[in-house]
């Protein structure tokens, strides 16, 4: 287990080194013993600063042996605090249970050492105090390790959650762009194809009608370019580069889709409170399906506004879905309307199709 708080060991090494050198300077003096004490602490610090490829148990045992060696060369006795690191390091190396067991073992070993080398220590306040302080230090070290591990785990979970959020956001944006391409470019490319087919068919029979079809195809191409630019500028779900009037925009759309073989009526009632791009996309989807796939000759588009919601209805007298399932366009439309808090209802038979969409203000 990686150690989230490596600075604790370094801090203790520094405190022990400063205390030992100060004690030697004011007491017995700096000599070979102090030099060995300093070198051993530097080795301990170097162990913490590297990633070893040997087993964690071997590194742990080496640290414990160095703690004992430092304590043997430390005349001040301050280095005993390093043994608090044994359960602390064991917690990260072997887990919480091993850390607690090592902590209890260190306290027991200290009490055993007092028993062997300090007769009557159990009635001497300074040794009782040392044992209690050491036990408290072990407990604080274990608590610190547990808190550090939980914090690291929480940070890892947070990073994982953020990564999932980023992935979902990217997926949602890709889906939005796919729906936007289908609803906008797909519709206009379909309209261009229909008008160009008409222009080719009537090129010699009806030059005026053919020229009008080419003009409508050109309008659809320009409109597609405008919508692509608007989508690139906004890059937001259901965002609009500027306000538009739904009734006017639908009238323009119907005008450029209507031809001699197909009559499209538009009826708008009520007062429009704000622009509703979702209804415009729904109308595009309904008109595209009716013009391209159903063979309808009569198509009706109605829009009604009231105080609570806006309603769109696209009906045709075509052949319906003819047993085919809903395609990408209708699936995307349902998702778009759902995000806007509205509903979609589709009824289809061999006598025609009705698409109803309601969106609250």
């Amino acid at each position: 287990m990686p150690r989230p708080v490596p600075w604790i060991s370094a801090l203790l090494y520094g405190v022990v080194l400063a205390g030992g050198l100060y004690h030697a300077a004011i007491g017995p003096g700096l000599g070979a013993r102090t030099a060995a004490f300093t070198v051993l602490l530097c080795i301990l610090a170097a162990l913490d600063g590297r990633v070893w490829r040997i087993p964690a148990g071997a590194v742990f045992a080496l640290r414990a042996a160095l703690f004992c060696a430092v304590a043997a060369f430390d005349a001040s006795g301050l280095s005993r605090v390093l043994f608090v690191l044994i359960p602390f390091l064991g917690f990260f190396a072997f887990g919480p249970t091993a850390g607690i067991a090592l902590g209890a073992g260190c306290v027991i070993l200290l009490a055993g050492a007092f028993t062997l080398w300090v007769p009557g220590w159990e009635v001497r306040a300074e040794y009782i105090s040392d044992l209690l302080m050491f036990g408290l230090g072990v407990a604080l070290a274990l608590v610190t390790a547990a808190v550090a591990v939980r914090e690291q785990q929480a940070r890892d979970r947070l990073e994982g959650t953020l990564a999932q959020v980023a992935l979902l956001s990217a997926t949602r944006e890709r889906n939005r762009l796919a729906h936007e391409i289908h609803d906008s470019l797909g519709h206009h490319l379909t309209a261009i194809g229909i008008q160009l087919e008409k222009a080719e068919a009537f090129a010699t029979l009806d030059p005026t009608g053919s020229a009008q079809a080419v003009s409508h195809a050109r309008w659809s191409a320009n409109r597609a370019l405008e919508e692509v630019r608007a989508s690139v500028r906004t890059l937001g779900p259901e965002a609009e580069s500027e306000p538009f009037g739904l009734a006017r925009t639908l009238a323009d759309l119907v005008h450029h889709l209507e031809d001699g073989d197909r009559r499209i009526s538009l009826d708008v009632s009520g007062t429009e409170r704000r622009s509703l791009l979702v209804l415009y996309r729904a109308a595009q989807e309904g008109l595209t399906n009716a013009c391209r796939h159903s063979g309808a000759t009569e198509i009706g588009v109605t829009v009604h506004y009231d105080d609570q919601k806006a309603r769109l209805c696209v009906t045709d007298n075509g052949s319906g879905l003819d047993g085919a399932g809903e395609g990408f366009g209708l699936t995307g439309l349902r998702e778009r309307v759902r995000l806007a808090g509205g509903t979609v209802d589709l009824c289809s038979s061999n006598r025609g199709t009705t698409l109803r969409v309601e969106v609250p203000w």
Side-chain angles (χ1 to χ4, degrees):
M1 180 186 301
R3 194 160 82 247
V5 282
W7 56 269
I8 290 182
S9 299
L11 177 63
L12 284 180
Y13 298 155
V15 169
V16 170
L17 178 61
L21 292 177
Y22 179 76
H23 180 270
I26 65 173
L30 301 176
R33 184 173 181 178
T34 304
F37 162 77
T38 304
V39 170
L40 290 171
L41 278 175
C42 291
I43 294 174
L44 278 169
L47 279 177
D48 271 9
R50 295 186 58 185
V51 177
W52 297 87
R53 296 184 179 180
I54 59 178
V59 176
F60 178 82
L62 178 59
R63 283 196 177 100
L66 288 172
F67 291 161
C68 295
V70 169
F73 285 103
D74 180 21
S76 69
L78 184 61
S79 58
R80 285 178 294 184
V81 73
L82 294 179
F83 290 98
V84 171
L85 291 176
I86 290 180
F88 180 77
L89 297 174
F91 191 103
F92 297 111
F94 310 114
T97 302
I100 294 172
L102 286 169
C106 287
V107 174
I108 293 172
L109 284 176
L110 181 60
F114 285 167
T115 302
L116 290 176
W117 291 300
V118 185
W121 70 270
E122 62 275 4
V123 294
R124 297 174 64 178
E126 63 271 24
Y127 289 98
I128 295 294
S129 176
D130 284 348
L131 183 62
L132 291 177
M133 291 302 295
F134 183 76
L136 179 60
V138 167
L140 289 176
L142 290 173
V143 170
T144 302
V147 170
V149 167
R150 290 184 181 179
E151 181 183 357
Q152 183 63 45
Q153 291 173 343
R155 188 180 295 111
D156 292 341
R157 286 194 297 269
L158 178 60
E159 290 177 356
T161 301
L162 291 176
Q164 291 179 350
V165 169
L167 178 61
L168 290 174
S169 297
T171 302
R172 180 177 178 180
E173 183 63 13
R174 284 196 298 268
N175 290 337
R176 186 193 72 81
L177 289 175
H179 291 317
E180 195 69 22
I181 290 171
H182 178 276
D183 296 344
S184 178
L185 287 181
H187 162 78
H188 289 299
L189 289 175
T190 298
I192 290 170
I194 293 173
Q195 296 298 339
L196 291 180
E197 288 176 2
K198 177 183 176 182
E200 184 180 17
F202 289 90
T204 56
L205 299 176
D206 185 4
T208 301
S210 178
Q212 185 182 40
V214 172
S215 176
H216 288 172
R218 186 181 298 110
W219 176 89
S220 291
N222 291 334
R223 181 64 184 171
L225 182 59
E226 291 174 4
E227 293 186 7
V228 167
R229 288 171 176 169
S231 180
V232 170
R233 282 196 301 268
T234 56
L235 289 178
E238 301 299 345
E240 303 164 21
S241 58
E242 57 186 36
F244 69 96
L246 181 62
R248 176 180 57 80
T249 309
L250 285 179
D252 205 19
L253 179 65
V254 167
H255 170 70
H256 288 88
L257 284 178
E258 194 174 23
D259 60 24
D261 298 329
R262 177 189 314 109
R263 191 174 72 86
I264 305 176
S265 63
L266 174 64
D267 180 26
V268 179
S269 59
T271 302
E272 181 178 347
R273 295 188 175 186
R274 65 178 178 86
S275 302
L276 287 171
L277 181 60
V278 63
L279 285 189
Y280 179 70
R281 295 301 188 211
Q284 279 184 317
E285 180 66 22
L287 288 170
T288 298
N289 290 338
C291 294
R292 188 67 173 175
H293 305 297
S294 72
T297 58
E298 296 284 339
I299 304 173
V301 180
T302 60
V303 179
H304 176 69
Y305 306 111
D306 59 27
D307 293 337
Q308 284 78 37
K309 61 185 66 178
R311 297 180 180 88
L312 169 77
C313 182
V314 181
T315 60
D316 67 67
N317 63 349
S319 59
L321 295 179
D322 196 22
E326 295 185 5
F328 179 80
L330 287 172
T331 301
L333 175 62
R334 290 187 183 278
E335 177 65 14
R336 187 189 289 269
V337 174
R338 184 189 67 80
L339 292 175
T343 59
V344 176
D345 182 46
L346 180 68
C347 298
S348 182
S349 68
N350 57 6
R351 291 178 295 178
T353 300
T354 300
L355 173 67
R356 294 185 179 89
V357 176
E358 294 186 357
V359 179
W361 290 119

